[in-house]
Amino acid sequence: MQLSLERVTKKVGAQTWLYEMSIAPRPGAVTVLLGATQSGKTSLMRLMAGLDAPSSGRVLVDGKDVTGVPVRERNVAMVYQQFINYPSLTVARNIASPLRLRGARHVDEQVNELADKLHISAFLDRYPSELSGGQQQRVALARALAKNAPLMLLDEPLVNLDYKLREELREELAQIFAAGESTVIYATTEPGEALLLGGHTAVLDAGELLQYGPTAEVFHAPRSLRVARAFSDPPMNLLPGKASSAGVQLGGGLALPLDLPPEVQGDVTVGLRASALTVGAGHAAEPGGVELAARIVLAEIAGSDTFVHLESPAGELVAQLTGVHRFALGELLVLRFNLSQLHVFDAAGDLVLAPHSRKTQG
């Protein structure tokens, strides 16, 4: 199914919830809507589903104008943050309901398969009121998958689940979506979730569509500071600098010999992801290697990573180190990174240099 939104907007009273945007998610693939709370993700999904009509613009399905056609007249499956199940039906019958409606064969077999994938096989004979919130959300997910609709909309479906289960289901859902034929729209606030699901990502902020493209491309080449901030967890390190024909000068006199476009002069911002920083024996002697002394302000362990917050002459930094590391507050560390890992944004906040390609972005 080809879904296209052409120059749609959404206004509620005097407030603009969605500024003019056009987007055509790839058929039969996953499109992630990434953005903070109130960025416009849910408003956009409601237009896609037919729950709301745009204030202007058109919604097309396979070239047919369906603007204003209500959701009950469309074949759409939806899962929201707040689970919705039929309270009078058992878990098995909840999952089976869309299968029976379309006259599917081998219903019990399909129900058992979905229940196994979503770790709810033990609850098939129970009613939703007998389940925890996380278990009920998994039932809602299973029912949506059973519907096998050409358009599946998931609005932060894992947000109410515990951390371990959320991690497991992310990987499981990525495989399920990849094997299916539905066009999947998946809203999330978490950059890591977007990267795991792959496909394409649309970055939204304050009702604006900032960038849309293959997920890896948007991550590695965010076209603006706004996109970089939205697509980084932990936040990208952003350091003020001065650009010249020789490269970029950071605070503390650190010179970075970067090949910038000749028109880029004066104030710039250098972006460096937390995972790109290393400590200890490193690659400063390698081509493009850079060393920077910084003092530890805070060190915290999260799962299998250690996040180190530091102060340096170039600015405040966060380093994401793999494994568990012990540091003393106030300790001086030598951080290392490579010039090939840097983003550079001009005074207007637009990307002029990205890692990997090392080319300017138009």
Side-chain angles (χ1 to χ4, degrees):
M1 185 197 77
Q2 177 62 68
L3 172 69
S4 300
L5 285 77
E6 296 182 350
R7 304 182 68 177
V8 297
T9 67
K10 183 63 181 178
K11 294 185 178 181
V12 179
Q15 290 188 318
T16 299
W17 287 15
L18 291 175
Y19 292 90
E20 186 177 295
M21 64 179 71
S22 298
I23 184 171
R26 287 174 62 88
V30 178
T31 290
V32 177
L33 305 183
L34 175 65
T37 302
Q38 297 185 330
S39 62
K41 303 186 301 297
T42 299
S43 296
L44 185 57
M45 295 182 88
R46 289 179 67 86
L47 298 188
M48 293 175 172
L51 288 167
D52 289 333
S55 301
S56 62
R58 302 193 304 165
V59 180
L60 306 176
V61 173
D62 294 332
K64 179 183 177 182
D65 191 340
V66 297
T67 310
V69 175
V71 64
R72 64 179 177 273
E73 297 179 27
R74 303 191 197 180
N75 190 2
V76 178
M78 293 178 287
V79 180
Y80 297 101
Q81 296 178 24
Q82 299 302 321
F83 40 83
I84 300 174
N85 294 302
Y86 300 118
S88 61
L89 300 182
T90 63
V91 168
R93 291 179 65 194
N94 260 283
I95 300 171
S97 58
L99 294 168
R100 298 192 189 283
L101 279 173
R102 71 168 192 263
R105 302 175 62 188
H106 310 298
V107 170
D108 290 344
E109 181 180 327
Q110 293 187 62
V111 168
N112 289 330
E113 182 180 347
L114 283 167
D116 184 58
K117 286 181 177 179
L118 292 167
H119 313 291
I120 51 176
S121 296
F123 313 128
L124 287 174
D125 294 328
R126 298 188 189 180
Y127 290 88
S129 61
E130 300 175 287
L131 306 180
S132 69
Q135 291 162 355
Q136 290 192 54
Q137 183 66 313
R138 281 179 274 163
V139 175
L141 276 166
R143 193 176 70 250
L145 291 168
K147 189 173 183 180
N148 198 30
L151 177 62
M152 185 177 298
L153 304 171
L154 301 103
D155 191 359
E156 299 187 54
L158 307 184
V159 72
N160 291 320
L161 305 184
D162 64 74
Y163 175 81
K164 183 178 180 181
L165 181 59
R166 192 162 64 242
E167 291 297 302
E168 291 176 1
L169 286 184
R170 280 173 179 163
E171 297 184 12
E172 190 66 53
L173 287 175
Q175 296 174 15
I176 292 172
F177 295 154
E181 298 179 355
S182 298
T183 298
V184 178
I185 312 297
Y186 190 106
T188 182
T189 61
E190 301 185 31
E193 202 159 59
L195 287 169
L196 182 60
L197 291 171
H200 281 54
T201 290
V203 180
L204 291 100
D205 180 54
E208 295 182 59
L209 176 59
L210 302 182
Q211 187 171 351
Y212 173 62
T215 297
E217 180 181 305
V218 177
F219 179 77
H220 291 300
R223 66 174 51 156
S224 68
L225 279 170
R226 290 175 70 188
V227 177
R229 290 188 179 103
F231 209 161
S232 297
D233 185 23
M236 181 184 287
N237 293 301
L238 299 173
L239 305 173
K242 292 285 185 180
S244 67
S245 58
V248 175
Q249 186 92 3
L250 297 182
L254 181 62
L256 305 176
L258 297 169
D259 185 19
L260 300 178
E263 66 273 14
V264 178
Q265 299 287 323
D267 292 338
V268 295
T269 301
V270 174
L272 180 64
R273 296 196 184 275
S275 57
L277 287 164
T278 62
V279 298
H283 47 252
E286 298 175 1
V290 179
E291 287 188 347
L292 174 63
R295 198 169 297 277
I296 297 175
V297 176
L298 173 68
E300 52 186 348
I301 297 170
S304 58
D305 290 332
T306 302
F307 294 87
V308 188
H309 301 253
L310 309 109
E311 290 181 344
S312 80
E316 296 181 354
L317 296 162
V318 177
Q320 180 180 2
L321 308 178
T322 302
V324 175
H325 302 264
R326 306 290 180 182
F327 297 106
L329 297 184
E331 181 180 347
L332 190 66
L333 291 183
V334 176
L335 301 174
R336 295 180 171 87
F337 61 90
N338 197 282
L339 294 175
S340 65
Q341 298 166 308
L342 297 179
H343 297 77
V344 179
F345 303 89
D346 64 17
D350 295 325
L351 183 71
V352 294
L353 193 67
H356 304 293
S357 67
R358 314 311 298 156
K359 296 178 182 178
T360 58
Q361 306 296 313

